[in-house]
PDB file of all heavy atoms in Angstrom:
ATOM      1  N   VAL R   1    -104.118  14.318-109.660  1.00 97.00           N
ATOM      2  CA  VAL R   1    -103.467  15.592-109.379  1.00 97.00           C
ATOM      3  C   VAL R   1    -102.656  15.991-110.601  1.00 97.00           C
ATOM      4  O   VAL R   1    -102.080  15.146-111.297  1.00 97.00           O
ATOM      5  CB  VAL R   1    -102.581  15.502-108.114  1.00 97.00           C
ATOM      6  CG1 VAL R   1    -101.481  14.469-108.259  1.00 97.00           C
ATOM      7  CG2 VAL R   1    -101.982  16.854-107.751  1.00 97.00           C
ATOM      8  N   ALA R   2    -102.650  17.277-110.895  1.00 97.00           N
ATOM      9  CA  ALA R   2    -101.905  17.794-112.042  1.00 97.00           C
ATOM     10  C   ALA R   2    -101.255  19.108-111.648  1.00 97.00           C
ATOM     11  O   ALA R   2    -101.623  19.741-110.660  1.00 97.00           O
ATOM     12  CB  ALA R   2    -102.835  17.990-113.246  1.00 97.00           C
ATOM     13  N   GLY R   3    -100.279  19.512-112.444  1.00 96.00           N
ATOM     14  CA  GLY R   3     -99.594  20.763-112.134  1.00 96.00           C
ATOM     15  C   GLY R   3     -98.430  20.991-113.065  1.00 96.00           C
ATOM     16  O   GLY R   3     -98.488  20.676-114.257  1.00 96.00           O
ATOM     17  N   ASN R   4     -97.360  21.516-112.500  1.00 96.00           N
ATOM     18  CA  ASN R   4     -96.175  21.906-113.262  1.00 96.00           C
ATOM     19  C   ASN R   4     -94.931  21.376-112.547  1.00 96.00           C
ATOM     20  O   ASN R   4     -94.862  21.387-111.314  1.00 96.00           O
ATOM     21  CB  ASN R   4     -96.111  23.428-113.379  1.00 96.00           C
ATOM     22  CG  ASN R   4     -94.780  23.934-113.894  1.00 96.00           C
ATOM     23  OD1 ASN R   4     -93.912  24.294-113.104  1.00 96.00           O
ATOM     24  ND2 ASN R   4     -94.603  23.968-115.199  1.00 96.00           N
ATOM     25  N   THR R   5     -93.960  20.912-113.311  1.00 96.00           N
ATOM     26  CA  THR R   5     -92.715  20.427-112.723  1.00 96.00           C
ATOM     27  C   THR R   5     -91.503  20.923-113.496  1.00 96.00           C
ATOM     28  O   THR R   5     -91.532  21.035-114.726  1.00 96.00           O
ATOM     29  CB  THR R   5     -92.689  18.882-112.656  1.00 96.00           C
ATOM     30  OG1 THR R   5     -91.431  18.455-112.113  1.00 96.00           O
ATOM     31  CG2 THR R   5     -92.890  18.250-114.036  1.00 96.00           C
ATOM     32  N   LEU R   6     -90.462  21.226-112.758  1.00 95.00           N
ATOM     33  CA  LEU R   6     -89.148  21.545-113.321  1.00 95.00           C
ATOM     34  C   LEU R   6     -88.161  20.426-113.026  1.00 95.00           C
ATOM     35  O   LEU R   6     -86.947  20.621-113.139  1.00 95.00           O
ATOM     36  CB  LEU R   6     -88.636  22.871-112.748  1.00 95.00           C
ATOM     37  CG  LEU R   6     -89.448  24.117-113.099  1.00 95.00           C
ATOM     38  CD1 LEU R   6     -88.923  25.328-112.328  1.00 95.00           C
ATOM     39  CD2 LEU R   6     -89.410  24.390-114.591  1.00 95.00           C
ATOM     40  N   SER R   7     -88.679  19.263-112.652  1.00 96.00           N
ATOM     41  CA  SER R   7     -87.845  18.128-112.253  1.00 96.00           C
ATOM     42  C   SER R   7     -87.676  17.132-113.396  1.00 96.00           C
ATOM     43  O   SER R   7     -88.657  16.569-113.890  1.00 96.00           O
ATOM     44  CB  SER R   7     -88.461  17.400-111.057  1.00 96.00           C
ATOM     45  OG  SER R   7     -88.514  18.233-109.920  1.00 96.00           O
ATOM     46  N   ALA R   8     -86.430  16.889-113.779  1.00 95.00           N
ATOM     47  CA  ALA R   8     -86.156  15.872-114.791  1.00 95.00           C
ATOM     48  C   ALA R   8     -86.354  14.467-114.240  1.00 95.00           C
ATOM     49  O   ALA R   8     -86.434  13.500-115.016  1.00 95.00           O
ATOM     50  CB  ALA R   8     -84.738  16.028-115.320  1.00 95.00           C
ATOM     51  N   ASP R   9     -86.443  14.361-112.900  1.00 95.00           N
ATOM     52  CA  ASP R   9     -86.646  13.063-112.264  1.00 95.00           C
ATOM     53  C   ASP R   9     -88.006  12.985-111.555  1.00 95.00           C
ATOM     54  O   ASP R   9     -88.170  12.215-110.604  1.00 95.00           O
ATOM     55  CB  ASP R   9     -85.524  12.771-111.272  1.00 95.00           C
ATOM     56  CG  ASP R   9     -85.418  13.833-110.170  1.00 95.00           C
ATOM     57  OD1 ASP R   9     -86.021  14.926-110.323  1.00 95.00           O
ATOM     58  OD2 ASP R   9     -84.744  13.574-109.167  1.00 95.00           O
ATOM     59  N   PHE R  10     -88.978  13.794-112.015  1.00 96.00           N
ATOM     60  CA  PHE R  10     -90.314  13.683-111.433  1.00 96.00           C
ATOM     61  C   PHE R  10     -90.785  12.239-111.574  1.00 96.00           C
ATOM     62  O   PHE R  10     -90.560  11.604-112.618  1.00 96.00           O
ATOM     63  CB  PHE R  10     -91.280  14.627-112.153  1.00 96.00           C
ATOM     64  CG  PHE R  10     -92.620  14.748-111.485  1.00 96.00           C
ATOM     65  CD1 PHE R  10     -92.825  15.689-110.486  1.00 96.00           C
ATOM     66  CD2 PHE R  10     -93.673  13.917-111.844  1.00 96.00           C
ATOM     67  CE1 PHE R  10     -94.058  15.809-109.863  1.00 96.00           C
ATOM     68  CE2 PHE R  10     -94.912  14.020-111.223  1.00 96.00           C
ATOM     69  CZ  PHE R  10     -95.100  14.962-110.223  1.00 96.00           C
ATOM     70  N   PRO R  11     -91.441  11.673-110.556  1.00 96.00           N
ATOM     71  CA  PRO R  11     -91.834  10.264-110.638  1.00 96.00           C
ATOM     72  C   PRO R  11     -92.869   9.998-111.728  1.00 96.00           C
ATOM     73  O   PRO R  11     -93.969  10.563-111.696  1.00 96.00           O
ATOM     74  CB  PRO R  11     -92.403   9.970-109.243  1.00 96.00           C
ATOM     75  CG  PRO R  11     -92.747  11.302-108.664  1.00 96.00           C
ATOM     76  CD  PRO R  11     -91.785  12.264-109.245  1.00 96.00           C
ATOM     77  N   VAL R  12     -92.499   9.191-112.696  1.00 96.00           N
ATOM     78  CA  VAL R  12     -93.420   8.760-113.746  1.00 96.00           C
ATOM     79  C   VAL R  12     -93.438   7.235-113.749  1.00 96.00           C
ATOM     80  O   VAL R  12     -92.516   6.587-113.261  1.00 96.00           O
ATOM     81  CB  VAL R  12     -93.018   9.303-115.133  1.00 96.00           C
ATOM     82  CG1 VAL R  12     -93.153  10.820-115.169  1.00 96.00           C
ATOM     83  CG2 VAL R  12     -91.596   8.891-115.492  1.00 96.00           C
ATOM     84  N   THR R  13     -94.499   6.673-114.289  1.00 96.00           N
ATOM     85  CA  THR R  13     -94.663   5.225-114.277  1.00 96.00           C
ATOM     86  C   THR R  13     -94.290   4.619-115.625  1.00 96.00           C
ATOM     87  O   THR R  13     -94.345   5.284-116.663  1.00 96.00           O
ATOM     88  CB  THR R  13     -96.114   4.853-113.929  1.00 96.00           C
ATOM     89  OG1 THR R  13     -97.013   5.612-114.750  1.00 96.00           O
ATOM     90  CG2 THR R  13     -96.411   5.168-112.472  1.00 96.00           C
ATOM     91  N   ALA R  14     -93.903   3.345-115.582  1.00 95.00           N
ATOM     92  CA  ALA R  14     -93.542   2.627-116.810  1.00 95.00           C
ATOM     93  C   ALA R  14     -94.732   2.601-117.766  1.00 95.00           C
ATOM     94  O   ALA R  14     -95.865   2.363-117.356  1.00 95.00           O
ATOM     95  CB  ALA R  14     -93.105   1.209-116.468  1.00 95.00           C
ATOM     96  N   GLY R  15     -94.449   2.868-119.031  1.00 94.00           N
ATOM     97  CA  GLY R  15     -95.495   2.855-120.039  1.00 94.00           C
ATOM     98  C   GLY R  15     -96.335   4.105-120.087  1.00 94.00           C
ATOM     99  O   GLY R  15     -97.334   4.162-120.817  1.00 94.00           O
ATOM    100  N   ALA R  16     -95.959   5.131-119.308  1.00 95.00           N
ATOM    101  CA  ALA R  16     -96.704   6.389-119.301  1.00 95.00           C
ATOM    102  C   ALA R  16     -96.633   7.060-120.672  1.00 95.00           C
ATOM    103  O   ALA R  16     -95.729   6.794-121.475  1.00 95.00           O
ATOM    104  CB  ALA R  16     -96.159   7.320-118.235  1.00 95.00           C
ATOM    105  N   TYR R  17     -97.568   7.960-120.919  1.00 95.00           N
ATOM    106  CA  TYR R  17     -97.618   8.672-122.196  1.00 95.00           C
ATOM    107  C   TYR R  17     -96.278   9.329-122.514  1.00 95.00           C
ATOM    108  O   TYR R  17     -95.779   9.252-123.635  1.00 95.00           O
ATOM    109  CB  TYR R  17     -98.725   9.711-122.157  1.00 95.00           C
ATOM    110  CG  TYR R  17     -98.718  10.663-123.332  1.00 95.00           C
ATOM    111  CD1 TYR R  17     -99.100  10.228-124.598  1.00 95.00           C
ATOM    112  CD2 TYR R  17     -98.309  11.973-123.170  1.00 95.00           C
ATOM    113  CE1 TYR R  17     -99.076  11.089-125.683  1.00 95.00           C
ATOM    114  CE2 TYR R  17     -98.285  12.852-124.242  1.00 95.00           C
ATOM    115  CZ  TYR R  17     -98.664  12.404-125.493  1.00 95.00           C
ATOM    116  OH  TYR R  17     -98.634  13.268-126.557  1.00 95.00           O
ATOM    117  N   ARG R  18     -95.699  10.015-121.532  1.00 94.00           N
ATOM    118  CA  ARG R  18     -94.378  10.615-121.718  1.00 94.00           C
ATOM    119  C   ARG R  18     -93.558  10.413-120.455  1.00 94.00           C
ATOM    120  O   ARG R  18     -93.963  10.851-119.377  1.00 94.00           O
ATOM    121  CB  ARG R  18     -94.491  12.101-122.054  1.00 94.00           C
ATOM    122  CG  ARG R  18     -93.137  12.787-122.217  1.00 94.00           C
ATOM    123  CD  ARG R  18     -93.278  14.169-122.811  1.00 94.00           C
ATOM    124  NE  ARG R  18     -93.718  14.102-124.197  1.00 94.00           N
ATOM    125  CZ  ARG R  18     -94.131  15.166-124.888  1.00 94.00           C
ATOM    126  NH1 ARG R  18     -94.158  16.347-124.309  1.00 94.00           N
ATOM    127  NH2 ARG R  18     -94.518  15.039-126.133  1.00 94.00           N
ATOM    128  N   THR R  19     -92.434   9.770-120.572  1.00 94.00           N
ATOM    129  CA  THR R  19     -91.623   9.430-119.402  1.00 94.00           C
ATOM    130  C   THR R  19     -90.368  10.284-119.273  1.00 94.00           C
ATOM    131  O   THR R  19     -89.628  10.139-118.295  1.00 94.00           O
ATOM    132  CB  THR R  19     -91.209   7.952-119.443  1.00 94.00           C
ATOM    133  OG1 THR R  19     -90.485   7.701-120.655  1.00 94.00           O
ATOM    134  CG2 THR R  19     -92.432   7.045-119.377  1.00 94.00           C
ATOM    135  N   THR R  20     -90.123  11.178-120.220  1.00 94.00           N
ATOM    136  CA  THR R  20     -88.937  12.030-120.154  1.00 94.00           C
ATOM    137  C   THR R  20     -89.335  13.498-120.123  1.00 94.00           C
ATOM    138  O   THR R  20     -90.320  13.910-120.741  1.00 94.00           O
ATOM    139  CB  THR R  20     -88.004  11.775-121.356  1.00 94.00           C
ATOM    140  OG1 THR R  20     -88.716  11.979-122.572  1.00 94.00           O
ATOM    141  CG2 THR R  20     -87.460  10.357-121.310  1.00 94.00           C
ATOM    142  N   TYR R  21     -88.542  14.282-119.427  1.00 94.00           N
ATOM    143  CA  TYR R  21     -88.756  15.713-119.255  1.00 94.00           C
ATOM    144  C   TYR R  21     -88.356  16.455-120.519  1.00 94.00           C
ATOM    145  O   TYR R  21     -87.269  16.237-121.074  1.00 94.00           O
ATOM    146  CB  TYR R  21     -87.924  16.175-118.061  1.00 94.00           C
ATOM    147  CG  TYR R  21     -87.997  17.636-117.725  1.00 94.00           C
ATOM    148  CD1 TYR R  21     -89.190  18.226-117.338  1.00 94.00           C
ATOM    149  CD2 TYR R  21     -86.837  18.422-117.743  1.00 94.00           C
ATOM    150  CE1 TYR R  21     -89.244  19.571-116.995  1.00 94.00           C
ATOM    151  CE2 TYR R  21     -86.890  19.762-117.387  1.00 94.00           C
ATOM    152  CZ  TYR R  21     -88.096  20.332-117.028  1.00 94.00           C
ATOM    153  OH  TYR R  21     -88.140  21.652-116.684  1.00 94.00           O
ATOM    154  N   SER R  22     -89.222  17.353-121.007  1.00 91.00           N
ATOM    155  CA  SER R  22     -88.955  18.057-122.259  1.00 91.00           C
ATOM    156  C   SER R  22     -88.152  19.339-122.065  1.00 91.00           C
ATOM    157  O   SER R  22     -87.602  19.881-123.023  1.00 91.00           O
ATOM    158  CB  SER R  22     -90.277  18.387-122.962  1.00 91.00           C
ATOM    159  OG  SER R  22     -90.984  17.212-123.277  1.00 91.00           O
ATOM    160  N   GLY R  23     -88.120  19.842-120.822  1.00 87.00           N
ATOM    161  CA  GLY R  23     -87.392  21.069-120.557  1.00 87.00           C
ATOM    162  C   GLY R  23     -88.292  22.284-120.513  1.00 87.00           C
ATOM    163  O   GLY R  23     -89.379  22.296-121.103  1.00 87.00           O
ATOM    164  N   GLY R  24     -87.849  23.296-119.795  1.00 89.00           N
ATOM    165  CA  GLY R  24     -88.593  24.546-119.716  1.00 89.00           C
ATOM    166  C   GLY R  24     -89.752  24.526-118.744  1.00 89.00           C
ATOM    167  O   GLY R  24     -90.446  25.523-118.565  1.00 89.00           O
ATOM    168  N   GLY R  25     -90.002  23.408-118.112  1.00 93.00           N
ATOM    169  CA  GLY R  25     -91.139  23.254-117.209  1.00 93.00           C
ATOM    170  C   GLY R  25     -92.253  22.492-117.912  1.00 93.00           C
ATOM    171  O   GLY R  25     -92.837  22.988-118.878  1.00 93.00           O
ATOM    172  N   ASP R  26     -92.513  21.280-117.472  1.00 94.00           N
ATOM    173  CA  ASP R  26     -93.553  20.451-118.080  1.00 94.00           C
ATOM    174  C   ASP R  26     -94.775  20.385-117.181  1.00 94.00           C
ATOM    175  O   ASP R  26     -94.676  20.510-115.956  1.00 94.00           O
ATOM    176  CB  ASP R  26     -93.052  19.017-118.289  1.00 94.00           C
ATOM    177  CG  ASP R  26     -92.225  18.862-119.544  1.00 94.00           C
ATOM    178  OD1 ASP R  26     -92.037  19.864-120.257  1.00 94.00           O
ATOM    179  OD2 ASP R  26     -91.765  17.732-119.805  1.00 94.00           O
ATOM    180  N   ALA R  27     -95.931  20.158-117.795  1.00 96.00           N
ATOM    181  CA  ALA R  27     -97.098  19.754-117.021  1.00 96.00           C
ATOM    182  C   ALA R  27     -96.924  18.300-116.602  1.00 96.00           C
ATOM    183  O   ALA R  27     -96.141  17.551-117.196  1.00 96.00           O
ATOM    184  CB  ALA R  27     -98.364  19.913-117.849  1.00 96.00           C
ATOM    185  N   PHE R  28     -97.645  17.897-115.566  1.00 96.00           N
ATOM    186  CA  PHE R  28     -97.690  16.487-115.198  1.00 96.00           C
ATOM    187  C   PHE R  28     -99.127  16.135-114.829  1.00 96.00           C
ATOM    188  O   PHE R  28     -99.911  16.993-114.417  1.00 96.00           O
ATOM    189  CB  PHE R  28     -96.754  16.166-114.021  1.00 96.00           C
ATOM    190  CG  PHE R  28     -97.226  16.674-112.690  1.00 96.00           C
ATOM    191  CD1 PHE R  28     -98.114  15.942-111.911  1.00 96.00           C
ATOM    192  CD2 PHE R  28     -96.807  17.914-112.219  1.00 96.00           C
ATOM    193  CE1 PHE R  28     -98.575  16.431-110.695  1.00 96.00           C
ATOM    194  CE2 PHE R  28     -97.262  18.403-111.007  1.00 96.00           C
ATOM    195  CZ  PHE R  28     -98.158  17.663-110.237  1.00 96.00           C
ATOM    196  N   VAL R  29     -99.469  14.878-114.982  1.00 97.00           N
ATOM    197  CA  VAL R  29    -100.741  14.336-114.524  1.00 97.00           C
ATOM    198  C   VAL R  29    -100.443  13.030-113.815  1.00 97.00           C
ATOM    199  O   VAL R  29     -99.737  12.176-114.360  1.00 97.00           O
ATOM    200  CB  VAL R  29    -101.724  14.096-115.691  1.00 97.00           C
ATOM    201  CG1 VAL R  29    -103.051  13.563-115.163  1.00 97.00           C
ATOM    202  CG2 VAL R  29    -101.937  15.361-116.491  1.00 97.00           C
ATOM    203  N   ALA R  30    -100.975  12.863-112.606  1.00 97.00           N
ATOM    204  CA  ALA R  30    -100.731  11.658-111.825  1.00 97.00           C
ATOM    205  C   ALA R  30    -102.027  11.165-111.202  1.00 97.00           C
ATOM    206  O   ALA R  30    -102.909  11.961-110.870  1.00 97.00           O
ATOM    207  CB  ALA R  30     -99.689  11.919-110.733  1.00 97.00           C
ATOM    208  N   LYS R  31    -102.111   9.857-111.043  1.00 97.00           N
ATOM    209  CA  LYS R  31    -103.238   9.228-110.358  1.00 97.00           C
ATOM    210  C   LYS R  31    -102.722   8.533-109.116  1.00 97.00           C
ATOM    211  O   LYS R  31    -101.780   7.744-109.174  1.00 97.00           O
ATOM    212  CB  LYS R  31    -103.924   8.201-111.262  1.00 97.00           C
ATOM    213  CG  LYS R  31    -105.037   7.418-110.583  1.00 97.00           C
ATOM    214  CD  LYS R  31    -105.619   6.372-111.529  1.00 97.00           C
ATOM    215  CE  LYS R  31    -106.709   5.540-110.866  1.00 97.00           C
ATOM    216  NZ  LYS R  31    -107.275   4.529-111.809  1.00 97.00           N
ATOM    217  N   LEU R  32    -103.324   8.856-107.972  1.00 96.00           N
ATOM    218  CA  LEU R  32    -103.027   8.171-106.725  1.00 96.00           C
ATOM    219  C   LEU R  32    -104.200   7.252-106.400  1.00 96.00           C
ATOM    220  O   LEU R  32    -105.359   7.652-106.526  1.00 96.00           O
ATOM    221  CB  LEU R  32    -102.801   9.175-105.591  1.00 96.00           C
ATOM    222  CG  LEU R  32    -101.621  10.136-105.764  1.00 96.00           C
ATOM    223  CD1 LEU R  32    -101.616  11.180-104.661  1.00 96.00           C
ATOM    224  CD2 LEU R  32    -100.305   9.380-105.772  1.00 96.00           C
ATOM    225  N   THR R  33    -103.905   6.043-105.989  1.00 94.00           N
ATOM    226  CA  THR R  33    -104.958   5.098-105.653  1.00 94.00           C
ATOM    227  C   THR R  33    -105.640   5.499-104.355  1.00 94.00           C
ATOM    228  O   THR R  33    -105.166   6.390-103.631  1.00 94.00           O
ATOM    229  CB  THR R  33    -104.382   3.686-105.507  1.00 94.00           C
ATOM    230  OG1 THR R  33    -103.429   3.674-104.421  1.00 94.00           O
ATOM    231  CG2 THR R  33    -103.674   3.255-106.789  1.00 94.00           C
ATOM    232  N   GLY R  34    -106.756   4.832-104.051  1.00 90.00           N
ATOM    233  CA  GLY R  34    -107.510   5.165-102.846  1.00 90.00           C
ATOM    234  C   GLY R  34    -106.706   5.054-101.571  1.00 90.00           C
ATOM    235  O   GLY R  34    -107.025   5.703-100.569  1.00 90.00           O
ATOM    236  N   GLY R  35    -105.638   4.257-101.585  1.00 91.00           N
ATOM    237  CA  GLY R  35    -104.777   4.129-100.411  1.00 91.00           C
ATOM    238  C   GLY R  35    -103.561   5.027-100.440  1.00 91.00           C
ATOM    239  O   GLY R  35    -102.718   4.974 -99.543  1.00 91.00           O
ATOM    240  N   GLY R  36    -103.432   5.862-101.470  1.00 93.00           N
ATOM    241  CA  GLY R  36    -102.319   6.809-101.540  1.00 93.00           C
ATOM    242  C   GLY R  36    -101.131   6.347-102.348  1.00 93.00           C
ATOM    243  O   GLY R  36    -100.119   7.040-102.407  1.00 93.00           O
ATOM    244  N   GLY R  37    -101.213   5.173-102.985  1.00 94.00           N
ATOM    245  CA  GLY R  37    -100.128   4.723-103.853  1.00 94.00           C
ATOM    246  C   GLY R  37    -100.204   5.390-105.216  1.00 94.00           C
ATOM    247  O   GLY R  37    -101.208   5.995-105.590  1.00 94.00           O
ATOM    248  N   LEU R  38     -99.130   5.255-105.985  1.00 96.00           N
ATOM    249  CA  LEU R  38     -99.076   5.877-107.306  1.00 96.00           C
ATOM    250  C   LEU R  38     -99.632   4.915-108.345  1.00 96.00           C
ATOM    251  O   LEU R  38     -99.068   3.851-108.598  1.00 96.00           O
ATOM    252  CB  LEU R  38     -97.641   6.267-107.660  1.00 96.00           C
ATOM    253  CG  LEU R  38     -97.463   7.070-108.953  1.00 96.00           C
ATOM    254  CD1 LEU R  38     -98.163   8.420-108.857  1.00 96.00           C
ATOM    255  CD2 LEU R  38     -95.981   7.262-109.261  1.00 96.00           C
ATOM    256  N   GLY R  39    -100.752   5.285-108.957  1.00 96.00           N
ATOM    257  CA  GLY R  39    -101.352   4.473-110.006  1.00 96.00           C
ATOM    258  C   GLY R  39    -100.670   4.685-111.338  1.00 96.00           C
ATOM    259  O   GLY R  39    -100.275   3.741-112.012  1.00 96.00           O
ATOM    260  N   TYR R  40    -100.536   5.941-111.737  1.00 96.00           N
ATOM    261  CA  TYR R  40     -99.752   6.269-112.913  1.00 96.00           C
ATOM    262  C   TYR R  40     -99.345   7.732-112.826  1.00 96.00           C
ATOM    263  O   TYR R  40     -99.932   8.533-112.082  1.00 96.00           O
ATOM    264  CB  TYR R  40    -100.493   5.984-114.224  1.00 96.00           C
ATOM    265  CG  TYR R  40    -101.706   6.858-114.492  1.00 96.00           C
ATOM    266  CD1 TYR R  40    -101.583   8.199-114.858  1.00 96.00           C
ATOM    267  CD2 TYR R  40    -102.988   6.331-114.404  1.00 96.00           C
ATOM    268  CE1 TYR R  40    -102.690   8.987-115.117  1.00 96.00           C
ATOM    269  CE2 TYR R  40    -104.109   7.115-114.660  1.00 96.00           C
ATOM    270  CZ  TYR R  40    -103.952   8.434-115.019  1.00 96.00           C
ATOM    271  OH  TYR R  40    -105.049   9.205-115.256  1.00 96.00           O
ATOM    272  N   SER R  41     -98.338   8.095-113.603  1.00 97.00           N
ATOM    273  CA  SER R  41     -97.878   9.480-113.642  1.00 97.00           C
ATOM    274  C   SER R  41     -97.162   9.716-114.957  1.00 97.00           C
ATOM    275  O   SER R  41     -96.408   8.856-115.431  1.00 97.00           O
ATOM    276  CB  SER R  41     -96.938   9.767-112.463  1.00 97.00           C
ATOM    277  OG  SER R  41     -96.464  11.104-112.498  1.00 97.00           O
ATOM    278  N   THR R  42     -97.397  10.866-115.563  1.00 97.00           N
ATOM    279  CA  THR R  42     -96.789  11.180-116.845  1.00 97.00           C
ATOM    280  C   THR R  42     -96.445  12.657-116.950  1.00 97.00           C
ATOM    281  O   THR R  42     -97.102  13.501-116.339  1.00 97.00           O
ATOM    282  CB  THR R  42     -97.736  10.798-118.002  1.00 97.00           C
ATOM    283  OG1 THR R  42     -97.080  11.021-119.251  1.00 97.00           O
ATOM    284  CG2 THR R  42     -99.027  11.603-117.968  1.00 97.00           C
ATOM    285  N   TYR R  43     -95.397  12.952-117.687  1.00 95.00           N
ATOM    286  CA  TYR R  43     -95.156  14.314-118.144  1.00 95.00           C
ATOM    287  C   TYR R  43     -96.132  14.631-119.273  1.00 95.00           C
ATOM    288  O   TYR R  43     -96.643  13.747-119.949  1.00 95.00           O
ATOM    289  CB  TYR R  43     -93.738  14.458-118.692  1.00 95.00           C
ATOM    290  CG  TYR R  43     -92.618  14.391-117.692  1.00 95.00           C
ATOM    291  CD1 TYR R  43     -91.755  13.292-117.671  1.00 95.00           C
ATOM    292  CD2 TYR R  43     -92.378  15.428-116.808  1.00 95.00           C
ATOM    293  CE1 TYR R  43     -90.685  13.234-116.787  1.00 95.00           C
ATOM    294  CE2 TYR R  43     -91.316  15.387-115.907  1.00 95.00           C
ATOM    295  CZ  TYR R  43     -90.474  14.284-115.906  1.00 95.00           C
ATOM    296  OH  TYR R  43     -89.432  14.230-115.017  1.00 95.00           O
ATOM    297  N   LEU R  44     -96.314  15.936-119.488  1.00 93.00           N
ATOM    298  CA  LEU R  44     -97.160  16.387-120.592  1.00 93.00           C
ATOM    299  C   LEU R  44     -96.678  17.776-120.985  1.00 93.00           C
ATOM    300  O   LEU R  44     -96.787  18.718-120.191  1.00 93.00           O
ATOM    301  CB  LEU R  44     -98.621  16.420-120.169  1.00 93.00           C
ATOM    302  CG  LEU R  44     -99.660  16.707-121.252  1.00 93.00           C
ATOM    303  CD1 LEU R  44     -99.655  15.593-122.299  1.00 93.00           C
ATOM    304  CD2 LEU R  44    -101.047  16.855-120.637  1.00 93.00           C
TER     305      LEU R  44
END
């Protein structure tokens, strides 16, 4: 799932490409596992 976030605390995973919010509204990309858990998530 991908989209747009204005949240400085949007859930991101350790070691993600970008773990901090840049401001102004960031894109995000997240992977949910087949059971609905969070596989990874990053700002972009």
Side-chain angles (χ1 to χ4, degrees):
V1 60
N4 168 265
T5 178
L6 296 173
S7 296
D9 59 345
F10 189 88
V12 294
T13 49
Y17 170 72
R18 178 169 292 169
T19 58
T20 57
Y21 179 63
S22 299
D26 278 0
F28 73 85
V29 181
K31 175 183 178 180
L32 298 173
T33 62
L38 187 63
Y40 67 73
S41 179
T42 184
Y43 290 110
L44 187 64

